[in-house]
Amino acid sequence: MATVDPSPAAGGAAGGRYDFAVGPGTPYARAVTMLDRHAGPGLVVDLGCSFGRVAEVIAERQRTYVGIDLDDEALASLRARGHDTGRLDLNLAGDVARISDVVGDRGVGAVLALDVIEHLPDTAAFLDRLVGLLRRWGDPLLVTSIPNVAHRDLAAKLLGGRWDYTDVGLLDRTHVSFFTEGRMLADLGAHGLVCVDADDVVVFPAPDQQFPPLHPYLVESTPAARLISWLRALPDSRGDTYQFVRAWRRSPGAAPPPPVPAPTPALRVIIAPRSDHDALDGLEDTLVCLGAQDRDDFDVIVPVASEQLGAVETLVGSFAVSFAGRVHPRALPARTAAGRLNGVLGQVRAPLTAFVVAGDVVIATWVRHFVDAADAHPGAVLRARSFRRLVERSDGVTLSQTNAVAASDEHFDLWRHLSADQLPLGSFALPTALCDAGLRFDESTRAASWKFTFLAAMLAGVAEIPTITCVHQRLDGEQEPSAEELGAALEQTPVFLPPGWVPRLQGDRDHLAYLAGELPAARAQADAASRLYDQIRASPWWRASAPGRRGLALIRARRRARG
Amino acid sequence: MAPRVRVQVVLFETPAPTCARLLDGLGASVAHALGRGLAASVTVAIGDCSSPGVDERTGAALAGTSPLSIEWVPFGQNLGHGAAQNRLAEGATEDVLVFLNPDAYPAPGALSALLGVVAEPGVGIAEARQVPVEIPKVVEAITGDTPWCSGCFAAVGLPLFARVGGFDEAFFLHGDDVDLSWRIRAEGLRSVYVASAVVFHDRWIEPTGYASSNDVAAQHMYLADLLLAWKAERLDQVEDLLETAGRGAPWEQAAAAQFRSLRGEGRLPAPYGFDAREALASYRLRRF
C-alpha cells in the first residue's frame, strides 16, 4: 500500500482543520477510485464532507456531488465552488432523515462517509439511520474511511504509558469512537453491510504518533520495538494500517440475525493430522478415546483435506449421537497439516483449546485434567505428561511394536524444549485467547508444531499436570525435525524468557567457561600420557619382557576357569 | 447366516455414568454390526454383583437410556467375574457370546470386527485391541494369534463356551480369561487378537508405561498366577511364587495366604489334564 502524509499542510489547501487535498494515495483519492470501480450512476452524497475537496474530482467524472456537514465555513466554501450542500447534524435522527429532503428525487449512486463515523458517539444509531437511507435509495455503494486504533504505534505508546491526542490523525482529539478492523467489520456487518473492496492507507515510517523522538518502543530497530511489532503482527497484518478505506454494499437480505447463544464448551479439541499427506489413519483410535471421556462439555473439530471428508464423516457418524454430535469434520483446501490446523483455529469458542494428533490415544480424564488445570492456573499453557510409543500401521490399523519408548520428563523445561520437542500436541492445551491474539502454526517449516508450542509456552508460561494422560504414537521411520530445523524456525522471532532464567544462564555460561579453561590442560595431560605409552611400547625392555607377560596372562586365565 | 449375539457385562459397584458410557459405545457398535448383517440379533445381559440397593439405583438410573435390548440381572452379591458370567450365560440360546468390561467403550466397528474373526474356521476366541494401554502380551504380527484373550472385549461361540465348561469360578477377578483361552486352545482352536476391533479400556498409565493397578487387583492377579501354575501342574512355579510372596508386598502375601487357605481346604481347582506348560511359559512372556 502507498504511504501518505495526511497532514492538512500536505493537502495544500488553506482554510479549516479538515481541509484536505485529494492527493495521490490519500483516502479521498482511494474513495474516488472505488466510485469509479463500483458506483452506479447518480448523486454522490458526502456525509461529514467538511471542505469536500473531493467534490471537484467527482464533478470531473460527470457526477453530481452533495456535501452534508455542520461546519458553516466548510459548507460556504463548497457552495462557492458550485456544489450542492445540506447543513445537517449526523448525530440527530431527524437531521439524518432530512438528508433525503436534500437529495430529493434524484437517484443516488454512492454515499461517502470519510473520516466520519469515529466522530459520532452512537455508532449503532448512526448505522441504523444510514442503512435506512441506503435502503430508500436502492442500495447504492457506500465508501468509508475509518482510522485504525490498533495501529502498532498506539499499542507501543500505550505500553509506554502514553495516549497522545493530536489535532488530526489517528488520535484526532475529536474522535469519540475507536475502531479496529474487527470492530468495523462486526458493526457494519451487523447492519447488513458487506465489504466489497478495500484500499487501506498505510502510513509508515512517519505516521503522526511517532513521538517523542527516539522512543525505543517506536524506533524499529530496537529489541523492544521488534518485540512489540512481532506481538502486534500475530493477530492480523493491520498494525501499520492508518485508515481502513472500504467500499460496502448492503446485502440483499436483512441484516443477519443475531447469533443464537449456544452453551460454550469448556474445551475444544482439534485433531491434528500427523503429516501433510496423512489420510488420518488411526483417527478411530483417537475418537474412541475422546468418546470415552468422563465429561462431555467439550467438542472436537477434525480438519481434513477435501477428499477425506466423506470417509471421516462416515466414521464420525458411526459413533453414538451423544458424541458424534460434538465432532465436526471440516474440509479445508490447505495442503499442509499446519495450514489445515490454522484453518480451524479461528473457529474456537471454548476458552481452552487442546490438540491431539490423529492416532494418539488419551485416558478418560484427559479433558478433565486440562479443564481443572485451567481453573487452577488461568491463562497458562497446560502440559500433561505423556508417553511416546513406537507403532507401525498396516491397512490403516495401528500395531504397537513397543509400549512406552520414552516417558516425557516429569517437569517441562523450556530450555530443553529449545533443542528437543517436550510438548507433543496431545499433551498440550492453551487458552484460546492466545489463538485469538494471532498465534498460528508456521506453514513454512517442518517444525510448525514445535514452534507453535514454544511460542505459546513463552507467551503464557506452562502449568504442569503430573498425570500421564496421552500416549503419543511415533510411526516407525517417522522423522522428527532436527535441532537445527528447530533453531531455524525461530531465527527471526524475538524470544524472551520467564523470570528466573538469568542465574541459570549465568551458571551454564560459567560452567562452559570453566570447562573451556580446563580443556587445554586436560589435553596436554592426555597427550603426555599417550607419548609415554608409545615410548614404553617401543622400548627394548618392553619387547624383552613380552614372554613373561604372556605367561602371567595364561596363569590368570587358568585361575578364572577354575572359578 | 448371521449369528445371534449375546453381549454379557458384569458390574460391581459401577458408577452410573460409567455404565451409561458403556451402553453409548456398545449401542453404536451393535448398530454397526446389525446394519452390516454381521449379527442377526444382539441381546445385552448385564449382571450386577453390587450390594442390594446399589444395583437397584444403577438399574433405575440406566432404565430407558439405551435402545438396546437389555436383560438386567441383579445378583445381590459379589459372585466374582467368572461366576457371574457363567450365570448370565445359563440357558442362553444365542450363537455367540461376547464378554465386555463395564469400564470399556467399544469403537463403532469393534463388535463387527470381532464377529467377523470369531466366525472364521479354526478360531475359538477373539479379542479386541485395547486403547490407550495395550496388554503387553505376545501377538503374532500377521495372524493375530496370541496365547490368551483378554475378557475386556472378547467373543466366543456359545456352544464352545459350554463345551469347555465356561469360566473356572476359582478365579475371582483376574485370570479367568487366560484360563478360558487355554482350555479353548486345548480344543485345537485359535486365540486371536483383532487389531481392527478397537475398544477403549478405562485405565491410567503408570510411569512404567503399563496400566495402573490397585492393591486389590494386584492381589487377584497374583492369586491368578498361582492358580494358573497350579492347574498347569507346575508345582515348582507355585512354590516359587509363594516364596517370592513371602518377601513381597502385602498384596502378594495376601494372595499367597489365600492360595494356602484354598489348598488347605481342598478347594483348589482340578489340573487341566492337558499339557499347559507352553501356555504358561508364553503367558509370562511380555511383548514389550
Side-chain angles (χ1 to χ4, degrees), chain B:
Chain B
M1 186 167 163
R4 292 167 301 132
V5 177
R6 181 178 182 82
V7 180
Q8 298 194 157
V9 183
V10 174
L11 311 182
F12 175 69
E13 314 278 329
T14 311
T18 303
C19 296
R21 176 179 70 184
L22 171 83
L23 294 179
D24 232 21
L26 181 59
S29 212
V30 167
H32 191 278
L34 291 173
R36 281 157 182 75
L38 290 163
S41 65
V42 179
T43 300
V44 180
I46 300 179
D48 198 340
C49 288
S50 307
S51 50
V54 175
D55 53 5
E56 287 166 21
R57 284 196 296 277
T58 308
L62 295 177
T65 60
S66 170
L68 293 167
S69 167
I70 295 176
E71 291 175 12
W72 183 265
V73 185
F75 292 120
Q77 59 178 315
N78 191 0
L79 301 175
H81 176 262
Q85 286 285 7
N86 288 344
R87 298 294 176 282
L88 289 174
E90 279 172 7
T93 58
E94 288 86 353
D95 305 306
V96 174
L97 272 187
V98 175
F99 311 115
L100 180 58
N101 270 19
D103 58 351
Y105 178 88
L111 180 60
S112 295
L114 279 185
L115 294 176
V117 171
V118 84
E120 290 175 10
V123 174
I125 186 166
E127 66 163 349
R129 174 166 59 90
Q130 297 179 31
V131 293
V133 193
E134 286 197 66
I135 295 175
K137 61 195 177 71
V138 175
V139 174
E140 212 287 318
I142 309 260
T143 63
D145 279 298
T146 186
W148 58 277
C149 282
S150 162
C152 172
F153 193 30
V156 60
L158 181 57
L160 172 63
F161 181 74
R163 192 166 75 235
V164 300
F167 284 111
D168 183 341
E169 298 180 13
F171 296 86
F172 191 79
L173 185 60
H174 288 291
D176 52 0
D177 45 6
V178 181
D179 171 78
L180 177 69
S181 302
W182 289 0
R183 286 184 281 123
I184 288 172
R185 288 179 61 205
E187 295 277 310
L189 297 167
R190 294 167 57 206
S191 161
V192 179
Y193 165 93
V194 185
S196 58
V198 186
V199 64
F200 178 87
H201 190 187
D202 191 350
R203 297 190 295 176
W204 286 45
I205 308 169
E206 289 289 326
T208 55
Y210 297 117
S212 63
S213 175
N214 58 34
D215 285 358
V216 173
Q219 178 184 332
H220 283 289
M221 277 189 256
Y222 204 86
L223 179 60
D225 285 356
L226 282 160
L227 292 173
L228 289 168
W230 169 262
K231 289 187 74 173
E233 300 180 84
R234 287 300 306 267
L235 301 185
D236 56 329
Q237 287 195 12
V238 169
E239 293 310 318
D240 279 352
L241 285 165
L242 290 172
E243 189 190 329
T244 305
R247 303 188 302 268
W251 47 265
E252 289 173 316
Q253 294 175 20
Q258 205 173 345
F259 182 84
R260 287 193 178 100
S261 168
L262 289 170
R263 187 165 59 181
E265 296 164 12
R267 291 168 51 212
L268 286 174
Y272 287 117
F274 56 82
D275 187 353
R277 281 176 300 186
E278 188 191 330
L280 190 63
S282 61
Y283 171 64
R284 302 210 178 284
L285 285 179
R286 290 287 182 268
R287 181 155 46 119
F288 37 70

Side-chain angles (χ1 to χ4, degrees), chain A residues 126-349:
Chain A
F126 170 71
L127 288 174
D128 282 342
R129 295 167 203 147
L130 175 62
V131 165
L133 290 174
L134 294 174
R135 189 184 295 117
R136 184 181 305 174
W137 293 336
D139 294 322
L141 186 75
L142 170 69
V143 181
T144 59
S145 171
I146 301 173
N148 176 22
V149 77
H151 193 283
R152 178 230 168 277
D153 288 354
L154 293 180
K157 292 184 73 169
L158 264 178
L159 282 173
R162 299 185 64 115
W163 182 252
D164 296 321
Y165 281 107
T166 51
D167 285 339
V168 292
L170 278 175
L171 282 188
D172 180 316
R173 64 182 80 256
T174 62
H175 289 179
V176 292
S177 195
F178 299 96
F179 290 84
T180 61
E181 184 184 38
R183 184 194 169 192
M184 173 184 71
L185 292 172
D187 282 10
L188 275 73
H191 286 79
L193 294 164
V194 177
C195 183
V196 295
D197 200 358
D199 190 9
D200 298 341
V201 177
V202 175
V203 182
F204 198 77
D208 61 12
Q209 286 289 329
Q210 285 248 332
F211 61 89
L214 306 182
H215 193 304
Y217 289 6
L218 296 170
V219 177
E220 194 185 5
S221 57
T222 68
R226 291 180 69 177
L227 177 60
I228 292 166
S229 293
W230 176 72
L231 284 168
R232 176 59 191 91
L234 284 177
D236 59 53
S237 57
R238 309 296 184 216
D240 292 335
T241 299
Y242 183 81
Q243 296 276 126
F244 301 115
V245 182
R246 304 291 172 99
W248 311 81
R249 287 275 186 197
R250 203 174 68 86
S251 61
V260 179
T264 303
L267 177 142
R268 164 158 281 184
V269 182
I270 297 177
I271 297 185
R274 186 166 293 280
S275 67
D276 295 349
H277 312 293
D278 186 27
L280 293 171
D281 285 349
L283 179 61
E284 185 182 33
D285 289 18
T286 306
L287 286 176
V288 79
C289 293
L290 294 175
Q293 292 298 299
D294 72 347
R295 58 191 294 163
D296 59 8
D297 55 347
F298 69 97
D299 64 5
V300 182
I301 196 157
V302 192
V304 298
S306 304
E307 63 272 18
Q308 299 164 345
L309 182 64
V312 172
E313 283 180 335
T314 301
L315 174 62
V316 170
S318 65
F319 277 83
V321 174
S322 58
F323 176 59
R326 292 184 280 122
V327 182
H328 314 292
R330 293 269 188 279
L332 293 158
R335 281 178 295 180
T336 62
R340 292 206 284 280
L341 287 171
N342 286 337
V344 296
L345 276 184
Q347 301 173 12
V348 178
R349 284 188 302 115

